[in-house]
């Protein structure tokens, strides 16, 4: 079932460099896929596969930052896969979108290797959380695919020395590291915190196929200036503003 035009909004990302149709009710992208895209160390000519691409924000923001990428997305929900294709056309970006379960990828994808696999898996463990009323929001926030499957299946699609980059909630760091350690190397984690006096709420995990470097924990990336929000104005710090508005990069290893 497709989204009707009156069920959608058209929203600006990267200061308007990327414009995305999103459902008024359902899963809507925030800053997280933009941060994910900023953390991917891709260069022109490389192949990128995104699991759970939704309406396409992460891949399209990455494509806006790095020209000449081959972008492929896999999305379980047909209406969101269709929306990702619509958004690719709107942004004049070549983006191959495949409507499939990542646990049952079509043979064409299983026979290809990618320089980067990126993902923003559902943040909530379905066995320990309640189902959302909207199916699209529920799949985007919970779903029924174990987090370990996202990582292990993603690792299989990587070319040698390829990178897996993922953004996830901080409370799921232990299981993410456990899964990545089984199939990848050179693991690096960069926590993300709202302010200097706040505990990190998210993290970026990056790992390499056949990587041999020791585990590294980078300093937290702080999003906002000040110890608290003191006005209605946007108070992102300079680095966050550069990432969210001007396609800046978010180094994972610093």
């Amino acid at each position: 079932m497709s989204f009707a035009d009156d069920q959608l909004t058209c929203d600006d990302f990267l200061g308007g460099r990327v414009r995305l149709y999103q459902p008024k009710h359902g899963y809507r992208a925030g800053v997280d896929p933009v941060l994910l895209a900023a953390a991917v160390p891709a260069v022109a000519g490389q192949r990128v596969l995104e699991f759970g691409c939704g309406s396409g924000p992460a891949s399209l923001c990455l494509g806006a930052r790095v020209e000449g990428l081959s972008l492929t997305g896999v999305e379980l929900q047909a209406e969101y896969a269709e929306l990702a294709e619509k958004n690719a056309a709107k942004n004049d970006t070549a983006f191959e979108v495949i409507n499939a379960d990542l646990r049952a990828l079509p043979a064409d994808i299983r026979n290809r290797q990618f320089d980067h696999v990126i993902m923003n898996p559902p943040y909530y463990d379905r066995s320990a959380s309640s189902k959302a009323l909207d199916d699209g929001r529920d799949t985007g926030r919970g779903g029924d695919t174990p987090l370990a499957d996202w990582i292990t299946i993603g690792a299989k699609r990587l070319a040698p020395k390829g990178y897996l980059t993922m953004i996830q909630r901080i409370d799921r760091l232990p299981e993410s590291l456990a899964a990545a350690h089984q199939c990848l190397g050179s693991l690096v984690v960069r926590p993300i915190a709202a302010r200097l006096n706040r505990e990190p709420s998210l993290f970026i995990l990056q790992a390499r196929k056949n990587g041999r470097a020791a585990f590294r924990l980078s300093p937290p990336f702080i999003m906002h200036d000040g110890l608290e929000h003191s006005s209605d104005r946007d108070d992102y710090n300079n680095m966050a503003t550069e990432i969210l508005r001007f396609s800046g990069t978010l180094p994972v290893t610093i």
Side-chain angles (χ1 to χ4, degrees), residues 5 10 69 77 91 103 111 119 126 134 154 162 184-185 236:
D5 288 345
C10 189
L69 295 175
Q77 301 180 89
N91 290 277
R103 295 167 296 181
N111 291 331
M119 57 185 71
R126 175 50 65 238
D134 180 89
L184 296 164
Y236 287 118

Side-chain angles (χ1 to χ4, degrees), residues 31-60:
V31 302
D32 301 3
V34 185
L35 297 176
L36 173 63
V40 180
V43 297
Q46 290 188 323
R47 301 150 296 174
V48 180
L49 173 65
E50 181 182 4
F51 282 167
C53 68
S55 60
S59 287
L60 293 176

Side-chain angles (χ1 to χ4, degrees), residues 52-105:
C53 68
S55 60
S59 287
L60 293 176
C61 285
L62 177 57
R65 178 170 66 85
V66 183
E67 296 182 355
L69 295 175
S70 173
L71 300 169
T72 301
V74 174
E75 172 53 43
L76 174 64
Q77 301 180 89
E79 62 271 32
Y80 284 86
E82 182 178 323
L83 198 54
E85 292 180 331
K86 182 175 182 177
N87 284 329
K90 182 171 184 61
N91 290 277
D92 195 25
T93 300
F95 182 31
E96 176 190 16
V97 182
I98 297 165
N99 177 208
D101 189 324
L102 65 89
R103 295 167 296 181
L105 294 171

Side-chain angles (χ1 to χ4, degrees), residues 187-200:
L187 277 62
V188 183
V189 169
R190 187 159 193 194
I192 300 171
R195 300 182 186 277
L196 278 172
N197 63 341
R198 305 283 179 84
E199 293 184 359

Side-chain angles (χ1 to χ4, degrees), residues 196-212:
L196 278 172
N197 63 341
R198 305 283 179 84
E199 293 184 359
S201 58
L202 301 171
F203 66 89
I204 298 283
L205 169 65
Q206 197 164 84
R208 297 192 77 177
K209 193 162 190 174
N210 308 125
R212 297 185 177 182

